[in-house]
Amino acid sequence: MSTPVSKPSLPDGLRFAFGTLTVLPVTVTRWDRDTARAGMLCAPAAGLVVGLTSSVLGLLLLLLGAGPLLAAVATAAVPAALTRGLHLDGLADTADGLGSGKPAEDALRIMKQSDIGPFGVITLVFVLLAQVTALTEAYGESWAHGAFAATVSATTARLALTLAARTGVPPARPEGLGAAVAGTVPVRDALLVAGLVVCAAGGVSTLAVPYAAVLRTVLAVVLACAAAEVLLRHCTRRFGGVTGDVFGALAETAATAALVVLSLG
């Protein structure tokens, strides 16, 4: 008789989230669908750590006398470093696949190639410019606003992954990280995590950045997830499902949208 497999614990889920979504020295001890579900539910926690780390570097540079632009560049660089650039690479590959205009099979083949095409390069340039510009605006307003924007955007980026891993969203390929996590999270659980992130972001905004309207923070999270959802649906129609590259593109889309909204007003 086979030994029954225990349900994944919270530490299992956190290890999966940090081990797959960051380069932090965390060992993934379980790799199954149940653990993938727990890990994707914990994805915003990984984003919170990434965001806090990036904001610390930005604040350190400000304390050393750097201007908002340099602090913004450093803050935008940290998430790329803590993911080995995988999300940015996924964004570029997804842009190449969508921009090719090819059928799903050919587009997926293009996305799997190691080189980056013109659509990917252009998308990376504009997305990074938007992120750095928005962070510069935020740091220019105050150090607290900049740090808060960096933390919210990174957390929201991983929240978009939780929502994208919900049941009903199929994988485009039978292998890879996309297939491992696609369709693992019940819709109700994904929405519950989203609600918790929205409430937490709105609540912290009144403490960390008193002058920032709670509505703007809530809108930043909601609109960022909405932007990622639009891209998710488009990719699902074009590719027949999601891949690891699509997950990366969703994270960068949500992060950028959140930063832009938080820099307004």
Side-chain angles (χ1 to χ4, degrees), residues 85-100 107-117 119-121 123-124 173 239 243-246 248-249:
L86 288 179
H87 291 170
L88 290 170
D89 181 67
L91 174 67
D93 288 341
T94 301
D96 282 334
L98 292 174
S100 69
L108 288 171
R109 177 180 52 79
I110 291 171
M111 292 166 62
K112 207 168 185 179
Q113 294 175 354
S114 58
D115 60 330
I116 298 178
F119 287 104
V121 172
T123 301
L124 282 178
R173 298 191 188 102
F239 307 140
T243 67
D245 286 333
V246 171

Side-chain angles (χ1 to χ4, degrees), residues 1-5:
M1 296 179 64
S2 60
T3 303
V5 180

Side-chain angles (χ1 to χ4, degrees), residues 91 94 98 127 153 156-157 159-161 163-164 166 218-237 246-261:
L91 174 67
T94 301
L98 292 174
V127 165
S153 66
T156 304
L159 173 60
L161 303 186
L163 294 171
R166 68 182 183 270
V218 171
L219 280 176
V221 177
V222 172
L223 292 179
C225 290
E229 178 67 19
V230 170
L231 177 60
L232 172 65
R233 295 192 179 196
H234 183 52
C235 289
T236 303
R237 287 194 300 268
V246 171
F247 275 102
L250 295 174
E252 293 298 333
T253 297
T256 307
L259 286 173
V260 169
V261 175

